[in-house]
Amino acid sequence: MTIDAIVVGGGINGLTAAATLARAGVAVRVYEQAATVGGGCRSAELTDDGLLHDVCASVVPLTVASPFFSELGLENLGVELVWPEVQFAHPVDAVRAAIVRRSVEDTAASLGKDAGAYRAMVEQFLPRIDYLVDFVTGPLLRWPGDVATAVRFGSRAVLSADLLARRFSTEEAKAIIGGCAAHSTARPRAAATGGFAIFLALLAHSAGWPFVVGGTQRITDGLADYIRANGGEIVTGHAVSRLEELPAARAVLLDVMPAALLRMAGDHLPAAYRWQLGRWKHAPGVCKVDFSLSEPVPWLNKELALAGTLHLGGTAADIARAEDACNNGLHPDRPFVLAAQATLFDQTRAPGGGHTLWTYCHVPNGSTVDMSERIIAEVERYAPAFRDVIRRTHVRTSADYQQYNPNFVGGDITGGAPTLLQTAVRPALTFPPYRTPLKGVYLCSAATPPGAGVHGMSGHRAALSALHHEFGKRPTSKQSAGNSSAT
Ligand SMILES: Cc1cc2nc3c(=O)[nH]c(=O)nc-3n(C[C@H](O)[C@H](O)[C@H](O)COP(=O)(O)OP(=O)(O)OC[C@H]3O[C@@H](n4cnc5c(N)ncnc54)[C@H](O)[C@@H]3O)c2cc1C
């Protein structure tokens, strides 16, 4: 086969890049170092035989919102989604919890005197959610199109979560902000953490926070089938160390982190670009604990059993302390824990019965500490009989994650620390950001805009850029999901 383009790395972004190229008629080959494609989008029997766990990503609001997947149609990849009744919940003590449903009205009604402030925060943006998704899933340094909406959203998004939470008086409403912002791994006092919070809350009321029936790996498996059906080739078990090893091709797209690009091609890159890549900072890591359970978690507050995702760790102030600790290189006694209970909504993952609980907490980058006892203690605050239903646990520390996937540097799952600078300039000041100074070489990983998550937009936009600059193909509306002005 004559190869026109090569993709290194078969994560969600490498695969969306390859799918975009293959659909445009480009002969593409993907090299993946692991035995299977998927990267952070894989599912496996981590505990009991037959019980399926999501190894990394599990909750997929960004897949639903993604312009790439909307245009391609998830159903065309054989992907089916299931939405919980409650998109996410955040207990602030053993009985009280913020309960976020698809309906803004129902969510606001549960927030007492913060109902009006919550509605004001989300309702002004929901009518323009498609525009906002398109804008924030691309490079932020570009002409925004709808200037009025961009300025209105930007003026709130640039706030810290801490400042944004001060608009509310109930612990529940503050927790919605603190919990959503904490996904970013940044300190809640950091600029732009408010933007993460508003955007994730908006997704709860638009795309929702669903699971993939049968595990998130169905998305990457579906993409792999799509690439092959469009003439592409996938080679697994093949790690690429240097660009010189690759067969000749007009374009090379790299689903790798900046430090890996330096190792692969550093001596060929201009000094100014090398310097920028060398300054790329990574975020705290995660320690993930997967549980197999004999029964669902016995929550004291029964509404928590309706939620797909839970934010645990106490009030917004408690979570701020935990996130500060991780950013200071400390392991918090009471960590911020993200939990998901997929089998309550997708029984195909547990054909033999039983349940899973997917959890992870933030820890310092590179940590080797097993946080399972601290995670169990946090769940027990809201479900004192939790330990009685645990059958088995599977633990992966931050150091293990880097071993599992070299893109998770020190266990950082966000593709780089989400500072204001690194959010705006990912990973270096080039236009478009996917293009490197090397002719035909592109970066397409989560270290490029828009960053982490199962949306595939880094790969898709990098591929559009390559189609334009290397193949002289202006993407048609069929090939170009979303605003392609930044390619
Ligand atoms: C524990 C955890 C929980 C998460 N939860 C969620 C969630 O619920 N929702 C969500 O949206 N996101 C979540 N994420 C984040 C999401 O998984 C990532 O943002 C996403 O997978 C990034 O995709 P990517 O293609 O950029 O990189 P990756 O998925 O990391 O894929 C990169 C691929 O490239 C391969 N590779 C790297 N270097 C080489 C090389 N030199 N040669 C060949 N192959 C190479 C790797 O093996 C890997 O398969 C989570 C991540 C983790 C780890």
Side-chain angles (χ1 to χ4, degrees):
M1 166 181 168
T2 313
I3 305 164
D4 296 325
I6 290 171
V7 175
V8 176
I12 189 83
N13 285 312
L15 295 176
T16 53
T20 303
L21 292 165
R23 180 166 56 168
V26 170
V28 61
R29 178 182 291 165
V30 179
Y31 288 112
E32 164 58 46
Q33 55 112 28
T36 59
V37 293
C41 216
R42 293 197 181 101
S43 309
E45 295 174 5
L46 297 177
T47 55
D48 300 329
D49 287 349
L51 196 61
L52 203 61
H53 299 265
D54 288 325
V55 180
C56 304
S58 189
V59 188
V60 294
L62 292 165
T63 314
V64 185
S66 162
F68 171 79
F69 286 112
S70 303
E71 198 276 319
L72 193 63
L74 282 169
E75 64 287 357
N76 295 325
L77 298 178
V79 174
E80 192 190 332
L81 302 171
V82 59
W83 282 263
E85 184 176 330
V86 169
Q87 303 311 299
F88 68 91
H90 188 139
V92 292
D93 60 32
V95 285
R96 288 186 307 148
I99 301 291
V100 177
R101 297 171 188 268
R102 291 290 277 283
S103 154
V104 176
E105 211 167 305
D106 293 347
T107 306
S110 71
L111 293 174
K113 53 187 177 202
D114 280 331
Y118 185 79
R119 288 182 79 134
M121 181 180 82
V122 293
E123 280 181 341
Q124 61 180 316
F125 296 119
L126 279 174
R128 297 292 293 142
I129 188 68
D130 289 346
Y131 162 75
L132 275 177
V133 165
D134 183 47
F135 184 61
V136 304
T137 57
L140 295 180
L141 299 184
R142 73 186 203 273
W143 177 247
D146 178 349
V147 178
T149 304
V151 168
R152 203 151 30 93
F153 183 74
S155 64
R156 273 93 174 158
V158 78
L159 296 177
S160 68
D162 198 35
L163 267 180
L164 190 65
R166 289 188 204 173
R167 297 181 176 192
F168 301 97
S169 54
T170 61
E171 287 299 349
E172 287 88 338
K174 287 175 189 286
I176 292 176
I177 304 300
C180 285
H183 281 244
S184 72
T185 70
R187 297 170 196 272
R189 284 192 306 280
T193 44
F196 283 92
I198 301 176
F199 189 63
L200 285 179
L202 286 171
L203 289 184
H205 300 301
S206 49
W209 287 26
F211 296 106
V212 177
V213 175
T216 47
Q217 187 167 332
R218 292 281 172 99
I219 302 174
T220 38
D221 283 352
L223 277 171
D225 290 345
Y226 181 89
I227 292 162
R228 290 190 190 101
N230 282 276
E233 199 187 329
I234 297 177
V235 180
T236 55
H238 186 118
V240 175
S241 314
R242 297 277 309 167
L243 290 188
E244 291 90 332
E245 296 167 17
L246 297 171
R250 282 160 75 181
V252 175
L253 289 84
L254 304 169
D255 186 2
V256 304
M257 286 296 118
L261 170 57
L262 277 175
R263 286 193 297 274
M264 285 178 181
D267 34 359
H268 300 300
L269 293 166
Y273 189 74
R274 269 201 326 258
W275 179 79
Q276 291 185 78
L277 295 190
R279 286 173 57 87
W280 190 246
K281 298 261 180 309
H282 279 282
V286 301
C287 174
K288 180 155 180 281
V289 185
D290 286 286
F291 296 92
S292 97
L293 308 176
S294 53
E295 290 168 42
V297 180
W299 303 108
L300 291 176
N301 177 340
K302 298 299 170 212
E303 277 191 303
L304 299 187
L306 305 176
T309 306
L310 294 122
H311 295 159
L312 309 177
T315 62
D318 295 327
I319 287 166
R321 273 190 290 278
E323 296 303 278
D324 273 343
C326 295
N327 279 284
N328 288 336
L330 301 169
H331 293 81
D333 287 336
R334 189 177 180 191
F336 169 62
V337 179
L338 267 145
Q341 30 193 19
T343 47
L344 288 183
F345 312 96
D346 172 20
Q347 287 82 21
T348 68
R349 296 169 182 231
H355 284 275
T356 61
L357 184 71
W358 168 103
T359 69
Y360 72 79
C361 70
H362 296 153
V363 288
N365 189 282
S367 163
T368 54
V369 174
D370 170 355
M371 296 289 280
S372 49
E373 277 307 315
R374 285 180 243 197
I375 289 179
I376 292 171
E378 187 55 31
V379 177
E380 282 184 315
R381 287 174 185 262
Y382 322 100
F386 176 52
R387 216 177 274 269
D388 300 344
V389 302
I390 299 175
R391 282 198 308 219
R392 293 182 67 186
T393 59
H394 176 275
V395 181
R396 207 166 249 153
T397 66
S398 273
D400 296 335
Y401 263 110
Q402 171 153 359
Q403 198 68 27
Y404 176 70
N405 178 346
N407 280 28
F408 298 144
V409 177
D412 168 13
I413 68 169
T414 60
T419 60
L420 189 56
L421 180 65
Q422 293 203 160
T423 304
V425 181
R426 288 183 84 79
L429 200 56
T430 52
F431 295 97
Y434 312 99
R435 255 182 122 181
T436 77
L438 287 183
K439 170 79 185 134
V441 178
Y442 293 75
L443 253 190
C444 71
S445 69
T448 63
V454 182
H455 42 67
M457 289 303 289
S458 305
H460 176 61
R461 286 186 184 272
L464 291 181
S465 190
L467 282 174
H468 177 189
H469 296 287
E470 313 306 329
F471 298 93
K473 293 188 186 223
R474 282 261 173 215
T476 62
S477 61
K478 224 145 166 59
Q479 292 158 347
S480 157
N483 175 350
S484 62
S485 64
T487 59

